Amino acid sequence: MKVASREEWLAARRDLLEAEKTLTRAREAVAEQRRALPWVKVETGYRFEGPDGDVTLSELFAERSQLIVQHYMYGPDWQEGCKSCAFWADQFNPAVPHLGARDVAFAVVSQAPYAVFAPFKERMGWTFNWVSSAPCNFSNDYHAWYTPEQIAAGETAYNFQPGLHYGEHAPGVSVFAKDDAGGIYHTYSCYARGLDPLNGCYQL
């Protein structure tokens, strides 16, 4: 710890402000590059398990043109969800209406069956849409879950690199868009430390 006069502190703070402005400009440039990513057509008819039965990927959009999916680590034999994922999830409820007002739907997806994580969701007081990818290969296709065979064969990849970083389940975010004809496209995914900016507590 260094103790300084108010004048010394102000000079140091102005230096830091310049560094913060540089970071802001770099972040804005990266955001522009992110928005310019090409889209990939989703050809698979994914079906998920929700509180009212099966639901399609298209139905998760809920009449909106964009969909953000949070991949939540939750295995079929787990008694409760990943505690780090819960840290993020505690911030989702108040965000959902703001996203909806901006034409964005939001859903959490886990590989465990719905009946496995439903009691945990109720215990945590979460009301956001949370569905199971157990009936399909969605979590595997978007690198948030790996089969035992893939792990044994070393055929896994995470954060766009080969390897197994978290284990059978992994955290991430995937984003999709729907065109006027109903076509669905994968537009973005991020993993690992790329998720840090999405946690408001971390920013504080």
Side-chain angles (χ1 to χ4, degrees):
M1 179 184 68
K2 178 182 178 181
V3 178
S5 68
R6 175 57 60 179
E7 290 73 19
E8 290 173 320
W9 181 90
L10 186 57
R13 182 61 187 91
R14 284 172 174 160
D15 288 342
L16 176 59
L17 180 60
E18 285 305 311
E20 290 173 337
K21 287 182 176 181
T22 298
L23 178 60
T24 296
R25 288 190 288 270
R27 185 170 58 244
E28 289 172 347
V30 169
E32 183 176 354
Q33 186 177 358
R34 183 184 298 119
R35 289 190 295 271
L37 277 174
W39 295 7
V40 178
K41 183 73 177 291
V42 177
E43 303 287 358
T44 304
Y46 296 109
R47 298 193 71 86
F48 305 88
E49 181 189 13
D52 301 316
D54 284 356
V55 59
T56 65
L57 180 62
S58 179
E59 289 170 331
L60 291 181
F61 280 79
E63 308 303 324
R64 295 181 172 86
S65 69
Q66 299 176 77
L67 169 67
I68 296 173
V69 169
Q70 173 80 33
H71 301 285
Y72 193 116
M73 298 169 65
Y74 209 123
D77 57 348
W78 294 12
Q79 299 302 309
E80 57 183 23
C82 162
K83 63 181 181 180
S84 294
C85 294
F87 185 19
W88 267 253
D90 267 337
Q91 302 168 69
F92 294 160
N93 278 352
V96 170
H98 294 283
L99 292 172
R102 289 158 177 82
D103 195 31
V104 181
F106 179 82
V108 173
V109 174
S110 294
Q111 196 270 333
Y114 180 82
V116 171
F117 58 74
F120 178 70
K121 178 187 179 186
E122 182 177 2
R123 188 189 104 194
M124 298 299 289
W126 295 333
T127 57
F128 52 75
N129 191 20
W130 192 353
V131 297
S132 167
S133 62
C136 67
N137 213 43
F138 179 84
S139 293
N140 189 261
D141 289 346
Y142 291 95
H143 306 286
W145 168 67
Y146 310 97
T147 67
E149 293 77 16
Q150 287 175 318
I151 294 173
E155 297 173 348
T156 62
Y158 184 70
N159 203 22
F160 313 104
Q161 300 292 331
L164 187 69
H165 297 261
Y166 284 86
E168 182 181 356
H169 302 269
V173 165
S174 293
V175 184
F176 302 87
K178 183 189 287 190
D179 63 21
D180 292 340
I184 298 175
Y185 304 83
H186 176 221
T187 63
Y188 180 71
S189 285
C190 73
Y191 307 94
R193 293 298 303 277
L195 301 171
D196 286 359
L198 305 181
N199 188 310
C201 290
Y202 270 177
Q203 307 317 306
L204 288 173

